[in-house]
Amino acid sequence: MAEDAVQEALLAAATQWPVDGVPTNPRAWLIQVAQRRMADAVRVEVARRSRETAVFEREVRQEAAARDDSLDLYFLCCHPELPAASAVALTLRAVGGLTTAEIAAAFLVPEATMAQRVSRAKKRLSQLSRPFGSGADDTKRMAAVLRVLYVIFTEAHTSSSSPELRRADLAAEAIRLTRALHELVPTDPEVTSLLALMLLTDSRRAARTGPHGELIPLPAQDRTLWDRAMTSEGLRLVTATMSAGLSGSYQLQAAIAGVHAQATTADATDWTTILALYSRLEQVEPSAIVTLNRAVALAAVEGPSAGLALVDTIADELSGNHRLAAVRGHLTEMSGDTAAAVTHYHQAATQTTSAPERDYLLLRAARLRNPEEAPDDENI
C-alpha cells in the first residue's frame, strides 16, 4: 500500500509541477501527498471490508448449516483468476497440509514441476489487488474445492509417503469438510456424490489391512468387516443423485463404488455395469488412470488379453508409474503368464513410494515364483 501511495504521489507531481511549479521542498511534498493517498486507501479498504462483513453476516451466517472457517479457507485459496490445476495445487499445499511430493504424485508429475506450479500460483496471487477476496463467487471455485477434497481423501486412503497404508486423520478431515459442504449445498449432485464416494470407499477401511498393517486387495477382503452404516449412507446418497443423471465425474465414481458395495462377494461383482460406468467416465474426464481402471474392468468382462491390449495404449502416458506395472502384473497373472507377472510386480514394487503397497507387490511376486516357500499373511 505504501508503494502504491508513493506511485500516486509521483504521478501527481508529474502532472501538477509543470503547471504549478516545483515546490520548495519536493521530498516533503511527495511524502505528504503519499500519506494522504494512503490514508484515503485505508479508509476505502475499511469501508469495503465493513460492507462485505455486513453482507456475510446477513446472508451467509443465516444459513442453517454455516460453512466452518477451515472450509472458507479452501474457497478463498481457490482463486478464480488462477488456472484450475494451479489453484488446486496451491490450496493443497497451503491449506490442505499435503507436501509437494504428495501433490505431485496425485497429479502424476515430477516433484520439481509441481513446486514450480505452486510457486507460479503464489506469484500470480501476489499480483492481484484482492488475492483472496470474500469467497462470494463460490460457483467459480466449487470445482477446484471439490478437486482439493478429492485429492486429500485419495492421499489419505492410500498414502504415498506414510509407513501405514491409510492416514486416518487426513481421511476423517476430508470427509468432515465434504460433509460440511454437502450441508451447505445439499442439492449439488457432484458434492453429494463426492461425499458418497468417500463414505463408500472409507467403509472398507477395516478390511483393507491385516493384523500387521499389510494390504489386503478388494477381492480378498472380508466384507463382513465393512462399515454397514457408512455403506448404507453412501448408497442412499448415490441414489439421491440419480435423478440428475450420471453426467459428473464424482457421480460416476460414486456409482462405481456403489456397485462394488452391493456385491456380497467378489465373484458377485457386476463388472459389466462397472465397465459401462468407466467407459462413460472416460468420456467425461479423459485420463490415463481412468483408462487403466477400465482395463481392469474390461479384463473381468472380456478376459485379460483385452485388458492388456487397452493398457498398452496408455503405456507411454504412465511410464514410470507403479500403477501401470501393477495392473500389468495382475492381468498377466490372470492370463497364466507367471514369469511376466513376477517381473511386472517387481517393477511396480520399485516404483511405488508406499511401503504397504511395496510389501504387497513383493509378496505377490514371491508367491508366484515360489508358491510353497512364500510366507503366509499371518507371518508378515
Side-chain angles (χ1 to χ4, degrees):
M1 290 181 69
E3 290 174 353
D4 290 343
V6 170
Q7 291 293 330
E8 291 187 21
L10 291 170
L11 180 60
T15 56
Q16 294 180 31
W17 291 0
V19 177
D20 301 334
V22 178
T24 304
N25 191 337
R27 183 176 184 275
W29 188 97
L30 288 170
I31 292 174
Q32 185 177 38
V33 172
Q35 288 175 334
R36 290 173 179 171
R37 293 289 194 276
M38 187 168 181
D40 290 342
V42 169
R43 280 195 292 270
V44 170
E45 178 66 12
V46 169
R48 180 190 65 77
R49 291 184 180 182
S50 296
R51 289 194 301 272
E52 290 185 351
T53 299
V55 171
F56 178 82
E57 291 176 348
R58 183 177 66 253
E59 297 182 0
V60 179
R61 293 196 182 280
Q62 288 178 354
E63 294 287 342
R67 189 192 316 141
D68 65 16
D69 291 342
S70 54
L71 190 57
D72 275 334
L73 290 177
Y74 285 86
F75 274 89
L76 295 177
C77 201
C78 288
H79 200 288
E81 289 294 324
L82 294 176
S86 298
V88 171
L90 176 62
T91 307
L92 286 167
R93 185 71 188 93
V95 186
L98 268 62
T99 66
T100 304
E102 291 168 341
I103 302 170
F107 281 83
L108 305 180
V109 299
E111 184 177 350
T113 301
M114 183 53 64
Q116 292 175 354
R117 185 178 298 178
V118 173
S119 178
R120 286 195 297 268
K122 290 180 180 178
K123 183 177 180 180
R124 174 63 182 138
L125 281 183
S126 70
Q127 296 169 344
L128 299 175
S129 58
R130 292 173 60 190
F132 295 103
S134 66
D137 49 350
D138 287 354
T139 55
K140 296 181 180 179
R141 306 171 189 247
M142 182 66 78
V145 172
L146 290 177
R147 182 64 176 172
V148 168
L149 296 174
Y150 175 81
V151 172
I152 290 175
F153 180 79
T154 301
E155 171 61 28
H157 182 66
T158 304
S159 176
S160 61
S161 58
S162 173
E164 297 181 353
L165 180 66
R166 177 180 178 272
R167 294 176 59 180
D169 56 337
L170 203 60
E173 180 66 0
I175 292 174
R176 184 187 71 82
L177 290 170
T178 307
R179 191 181 292 280
L181 186 57
H182 177 252
E183 291 174 354
L184 186 69
V185 283
T187 59
D188 189 309
E190 283 288 80
V191 175
T192 302
S193 297
L194 180 57
L195 178 58
L197 175 62
M198 290 182 180
L199 293 173
L200 290 170
T201 303
D202 203 53
S203 68
R204 304 194 296 263
R205 65 179 181 272
R208 289 184 69 223
T209 54
H212 304 287
E214 66 274 16
L215 185 154
I216 300 177
L218 180 60
Q221 290 177 11
D222 179 358
R223 302 190 176 211
T224 63
L225 297 178
W226 290 2
D227 189 313
R228 298 287 184 182
M230 294 183 75
T231 299
S232 297
E233 183 182 4
L235 290 173
R236 178 179 57 78
L237 292 172
V238 169
T239 303
T241 67
M242 292 296 183
S243 60
L246 292 176
S247 58
S249 170
Y250 301 117
Q251 286 179 279
L252 289 162
Q253 292 183 69
I256 292 169
V259 175
H260 281 297
Q262 294 178 80
T264 55
T265 65
D267 292 338
T269 303
D270 185 356
W271 284 107
T272 301
T273 298
I274 290 175
L275 177 59
L277 290 170
Y278 269 123
S279 297
R280 176 58 180 155
L281 179 60
E282 201 172 27
Q283 296 173 350
V284 172
E285 186 178 319
S287 77
I289 292 297
V290 173
T291 302
L292 190 66
N293 286 322
R294 183 165 72 87
V296 175
L298 182 63
V301 175
E302 299 183 11
S305 297
L308 285 167
L310 182 57
V311 168
D312 288 340
T313 65
I314 54 171
D316 291 341
E317 293 180 70
L318 292 179
S319 177
N321 189 291
H322 77 280
R323 297 178 183 88
L324 177 70
V327 168
R328 275 180 165 161
H330 170 62
L331 298 185
T332 50
E333 182 182 354
M334 283 179 62
S335 68
D337 190 346
T338 301
V342 169
T343 299
H344 290 310
Y345 283 139
H346 272 290
Q347 181 183 0
T350 62
Q351 292 172 335
T352 184
T353 56
S354 167
E357 282 187 330
R358 182 183 63 248
D359 293 343
Y360 167 76
L361 291 164
L362 291 175
L363 177 61
R364 195 77 189 173
R367 284 176 170 169
L368 289 177
R369 188 174 56 249
N370 299 303
E372 297 180 357
E373 298 179 9
D376 294 329
D377 289 339
E378 292 80 5
N379 297 323
I380 297 176

